[in-house]
Amino acid sequence: MIALYTALITGAIMAGLQAASAAPPGGEFPSKVPVPADNPMTPRKIHLGKQLYFDPRLSLSGDVSCDTCHNVAGNGSDGLPLSFGVLGRVDRPRHAPTVFNSAFNTVQFWDGRAKSLEDQAKGPLLNPIEMGMPSSGAIVKRLAGIPGYRREFARVFGGKTPITFEHVVQAIATYERTLVTPDSPYDRYLKGDKNALDKSAKQGMHEVSDLGCASCHAGAMFDNPGLPMGTGWFRKFPMIPTNPTCATYVREYHLADDPGRFDVTHKQSDEHVFKVPSLRNVAVLAPYFQNGSVGSLRTAVRVMAACQLGKTLTGLQTTNIVAFLNSLTGKFPVETMPHLPETPDSTSMMQVAKLQQNQRQLN
Amino acid sequence: MIALYTALITGAIMAGLQAASAAPPGGEFPSKVPVPADNPMTPRKIHLGKQLYFDPRLSLSGDVSCDTCHNVAGNGSDGLPLSFGVLGRVDRPRHAPTVFNSAFNTVQFWDGRAKSLEDQAKGPLLNPIEMGMPSSGAIVKRLAGIPGYRREFARVFGGKTPITFEHVVQAIATYERTLVTPDSPYDRYLKGDKNALDKSAKQGMHEVSDLGCASCHAGAMFDNPGLPMGTGWFRKFPMIPTNPTCATYVREYHLADDPGRFDVTHKQSDEHVFKVPSLRNVAVLAPYFQNGSVGSLRTAVRVMAACQLGKTLTGLQTTNIVAFLNSLTGKFPVETMPHLPETPDSTSMMQVAKLQQNQRQLN
């Protein structure tokens, strides 16, 4: 079902070529995104998916879009500790991951509960605290009330019922697969431009390999060693909460409050277990961790060293690792904005008036 | 202070040229926007203004930008009856007007309380229910915590204190002045393409002139007869609430609940008085009126006829007027998205965590 993902092996090849010095901790940015066989990418589907991604009418209140929390203009996240959904609601303490390069995640969500971008997109749409749509039928009905969408879905999907919930998430996932950030300084370095990393970043690169960071943050995306799509790569976090430095961080940043993957599998061994997140663009994606509790990259690096490796870093080590992490910031594409189809005689959106009346009474 | 706005006289000239038939109700789309002498437009200022316009960090909760309510992808409004501000709050019942062509408004807001786009921008930023920033100083402080903005403001404004509240609104207003929609079918018609309007739209055009709509919806933007910037063109609405048809609409759509400009001047004669809104793009800007209570353009046209002119339209008249109003939809520009500068070590945005903790307890 998932196309073979050959580019993921590039990392291993590069590592082999450079065997004389320490192997770089991750591989080169993939030249292709993995695309499920049953949802091929086409320009028209990308166009529709972009409209849907930016359309707040996909939420109960009509003011929250995918882009609200996964802000394309803001490196693909909202830059906040947690996120605000419909009516200012805040869900359990999980920070919104970036949409950029999410096409490479082998599983989605912090707890890995979705095996594809298509499955992921269903979650927030129907979550009462996020986009709050009461049912997949309500989404279909709302879109069917917009003539521009009726035309677009018919063109992209055809058939007797062009607008279905499956088609909505297929289009959104297709747009998301275009949001990739290749050509970081690290990638240029791997391609042979030895000046793409300065001395500090190179030193940091060796630290990341030597300290053991790369045993989890592995592969081209620094998030798994090359597993097939749909296969999760998980780690307990915090791994060593008894380390005294880690214990301090755990208290200060509430790092052990979230049961993590236990919520999905209900296995004791999955308590505090999370998907290993990518290090790509990490320097421009503060705040950090599943609960977005740490604002500083330096602190995040120290927390990881203490809680996952049981190590206390020197100031210089931290500086060098941060320099290396900065070299993983890729080129963000220049995106054009979609033009959302109008709701003429917009009776479907007029239902929001009742919600707004309730909210006014809270002032 | 305001540059002369010569293009506004085009309408009068065109009307003269076509004196043989009924004069078209408004003039051709202006070729230039009026620009205040103390805030000249430059490419760099537009670039900065666009970043600020789309940046949710200009709100208390970090999730509401100018674009949230004046959605550039959505014809410049949010398409909702009212708007949601920070924490899902809803302000008094005033519908968000479109940002497109707002550069041509001689005054801003439904009650005309701001004389320029610069002044307008200050309102929502500091309104506790809209973007909720506690003070202009808090805005400056938050932006000063973002290195990318420090650089941009220094480049655009220079001087010892590049980041000031005045500079913030000057940049935002400058970006807004780029958001114009020329080249509607009506404009092509005025330029001599007689097929740009079909028979129904032409008939509607004559109705708009003959019924008296154009006595208020006058000039190139159909919102004033060519007044200088800063001068309001206001009308009472509903004007004839005693008309039985109007009275029904007033009850159904709560049209007489808003004191309008009375809130600004405290003059009895300004009760229920509002700025005359432009008819440009009106067909793609549902819902209608100051309280966004009417979802259908047909209904809006009938309400206006009954409440402002004391007339009851036939079905055909309404159809023709709607066809004409559709011909006023211009070309929306294809916009590229800005790239928002990062908040590295984002302590300023970490303050939002407290707000989010409070919101979680409401679930």
Side-chain angles (χ1 to χ4, degrees), chain B residues 207-235:
Chain B
E207 297 281 10
V208 163
S209 289
D210 297 348
L211 287 166
C213 315
S215 67
C216 299
H217 291 293
M221 303 312 289
F222 295 79
D223 68 343
N224 81 75
L227 300 178
M229 297 303 285
T231 314
W233 179 248
F234 299 101
R235 282 296 181 276

Coordinates of all heavy atoms in Angstrom, one line a residue, chain B residues 207-235:
Chain B
E207 N -31.5 49.6 -12.6 CA -32.3 49.6 -11.4 C -31.6 50.3 -10.2 O -32.2 51.1 -9.5 CB -32.6 48.2 -10.9 CG -33.5 47.3 -11.9 CD -35.0 47.7 -11.8 OE1 -35.4 48.6 -11.2 OE2 -35.7 46.9 -12.5
V208 N -30.3 50.0 -10.1 CA -29.5 50.6 -9.0 C -29.5 52.1 -9.1 O -29.5 52.9 -8.1 CB -28.1 50.0 -9.0 CG1 -27.1 50.8 -8.2 CG2 -28.1 48.6 -8.4
S209 N -29.4 52.6 -10.4 CA -29.4 54.1 -10.6 C -30.9 54.6 -10.3 O -31.1 55.6 -9.6 CB -29.0 54.4 -12.0 OG -27.6 54.2 -12.2
D210 N -31.9 53.9 -10.9 CA -33.2 54.5 -10.9 C -33.9 54.4 -9.6 O -34.6 55.3 -9.2 CB -34.1 53.7 -12.0 CG -33.5 53.9 -13.4 OD1 -32.7 54.8 -13.6 OD2 -34.0 53.2 -14.3
L211 N -33.6 53.3 -8.9 CA -34.3 53.1 -7.6 C -33.8 54.1 -6.5 O -34.5 54.5 -5.6 CB -34.1 51.7 -7.0 CG -34.9 50.6 -7.7 CD1 -34.4 49.2 -7.3 CD2 -36.4 50.7 -7.3
G212 N -32.5 54.5 -6.7 CA -31.9 55.5 -5.8 C -30.8 54.9 -4.9 O -30.2 55.6 -4.1
C213 N -30.5 53.6 -5.1 CA -29.4 52.9 -4.4 C -28.1 53.8 -4.5 O -27.3 54.0 -3.5 CB -29.0 51.6 -4.9 SG -30.5 50.5 -5.2
A214 N -27.9 54.3 -5.8 CA -26.6 55.0 -6.0 C -26.5 56.4 -5.4 O -25.5 57.0 -5.5 CB -26.4 55.0 -7.6
S215 N -27.6 56.8 -4.8 CA -27.5 58.1 -4.2 C -26.6 58.0 -2.9 O -25.9 59.0 -2.5 CB -28.8 58.7 -3.8 OG -29.5 57.9 -2.8
C216 N -26.5 56.8 -2.3 CA -25.6 56.6 -1.2 C -24.4 55.8 -1.7 O -23.3 56.1 -1.4 CB -26.3 55.8 -0.1 SG -27.7 56.7 0.7
H217 N -24.7 54.7 -2.4 CA -23.6 53.8 -2.9 C -23.0 54.5 -4.2 O -23.2 54.0 -5.3 CB -24.1 52.4 -3.2 CG -24.4 51.7 -1.9 ND1 -23.5 51.3 -1.0 CD2 -25.6 51.2 -1.4 CE1 -24.1 50.6 0.0 NE2 -25.4 50.6 -0.2
A218 N -22.3 55.6 -4.0 CA -21.9 56.4 -5.1 C -20.4 56.3 -5.3 O -19.7 55.8 -4.4 CB -22.3 57.8 -4.9
G219 N -19.9 56.8 -6.4 CA -18.4 56.9 -6.7 C -17.8 55.6 -7.1 O -18.5 54.6 -7.3
A220 N -16.5 55.6 -7.3 CA -15.8 54.5 -7.8 C -15.9 53.2 -6.9 O -15.9 52.1 -7.4 CB -14.3 54.8 -8.0
M221 N -16.0 53.4 -5.6 CA -16.1 52.3 -4.8 C -17.6 52.0 -4.3 O -17.9 51.2 -3.5 CB -15.2 52.4 -3.5 CG -13.8 52.6 -3.8 SD -13.1 51.5 -5.0 CE -13.0 50.0 -4.0
F222 N -18.5 52.8 -4.9 CA -19.9 52.7 -4.5 C -20.1 52.9 -3.0 O -20.9 52.2 -2.3 CB -20.5 51.3 -4.9 CG -20.5 51.1 -6.4 CD1 -19.4 50.7 -7.1 CD2 -21.7 51.2 -7.1 CE1 -19.4 50.5 -8.4 CE2 -21.7 51.0 -8.5 CZ -20.6 50.6 -9.1
D223 N -19.3 53.8 -2.4 CA -19.5 54.0 -1.0 C -19.4 55.5 -0.6 O -19.6 55.8 0.6 CB -18.4 53.2 -0.2 CG -17.0 53.8 -0.4 OD1 -16.8 54.5 -1.4 OD2 -16.1 53.4 0.4
N224 N -19.1 56.3 -1.5 CA -19.1 57.8 -1.3 C -18.9 58.5 -2.6 O -18.3 58.0 -3.5 CB -18.1 58.2 -0.2 CG -16.7 58.4 -0.8 OD1 -16.4 59.4 -1.4 ND2 -15.9 57.4 -0.5
P225 N -19.4 59.7 -2.7 CA -19.4 60.4 -4.0 C -18.0 61.0 -4.4 O -18.0 61.8 -5.3 CB -20.5 61.5 -3.9 CG -20.5 61.8 -2.4 CD -20.1 60.5 -1.7
G226 N -17.0 60.7 -3.6 CA -15.7 61.3 -4.0 C -15.1 62.2 -2.9 O -14.5 63.2 -3.2
L227 N -15.4 61.9 -1.6 CA -15.0 62.7 -0.5 C -13.5 62.6 -0.3 O -12.9 61.5 -0.6 CB -15.8 62.4 0.7 CG -17.3 62.5 0.7 CD1 -17.9 62.0 2.0 CD2 -17.7 63.9 0.4
P228 N -12.9 63.6 0.3 CA -11.5 63.4 0.7 C -11.3 62.4 1.8 O -12.2 62.1 2.6 CB -11.1 64.8 1.2 CG -12.2 65.7 1.0 CD -13.4 64.9 0.7
M229 N -10.1 61.8 1.9 CA -9.8 60.8 2.9 C -10.0 61.4 4.3 O -9.7 62.6 4.5 CB -8.4 60.3 2.8 CG -8.1 59.5 1.5 SD -9.2 58.1 1.2 CE -8.5 56.9 2.4
G230 N -10.6 60.7 5.2 CA -10.8 61.2 6.6 C -12.2 61.8 6.7 O -12.6 62.1 7.8
T231 N -13.0 61.9 5.6 CA -14.3 62.4 5.7 C -15.3 61.3 5.6 O -15.3 60.5 4.6 CB -14.5 63.4 4.5 OG1 -13.4 64.2 4.3 CG2 -15.8 64.2 4.7
G232 N -16.2 61.2 6.5 CA -17.1 60.1 6.5 C -18.3 60.3 5.7 O -18.8 61.5 5.5
W233 N -18.9 59.3 5.1 CA -20.2 59.3 4.3 C -21.1 58.3 5.0 O -20.9 57.1 4.9 CB -19.9 59.0 2.9 CG -21.0 58.9 1.9 CD1 -21.5 57.8 1.3 CD2 -21.7 60.0 1.3 NE1 -22.5 58.2 0.4 CE2 -22.6 59.5 0.4 CE3 -21.6 61.4 1.6 CZ2 -23.5 60.3 -0.3 CZ3 -22.5 62.2 0.8 CH2 -23.4 61.7 -0.1
F234 N -22.0 58.9 5.8 CA -22.8 58.1 6.7 C -24.3 58.1 6.3 O -24.8 59.0 5.7 CB -22.7 58.6 8.1 CG -21.3 58.6 8.7 CD1 -20.5 59.8 8.7 CD2 -20.7 57.4 9.1 CE1 -19.2 59.8 9.2 CE2 -19.4 57.4 9.6 CZ -18.7 58.6 9.7
R235 N -25.0 57.1 6.7 CA -26.5 57.0 6.5 C -27.1 56.3 7.7 O -26.5 55.4 8.3 CB -26.9 56.3 5.3 CG -26.7 57.1 4.0 CD -27.6 58.3 3.9 NE -27.4 59.0 2.7 CZ -26.5 59.9 2.4 NH1 -25.6 60.2 3.4 NH2 -26.4 60.5 1.3

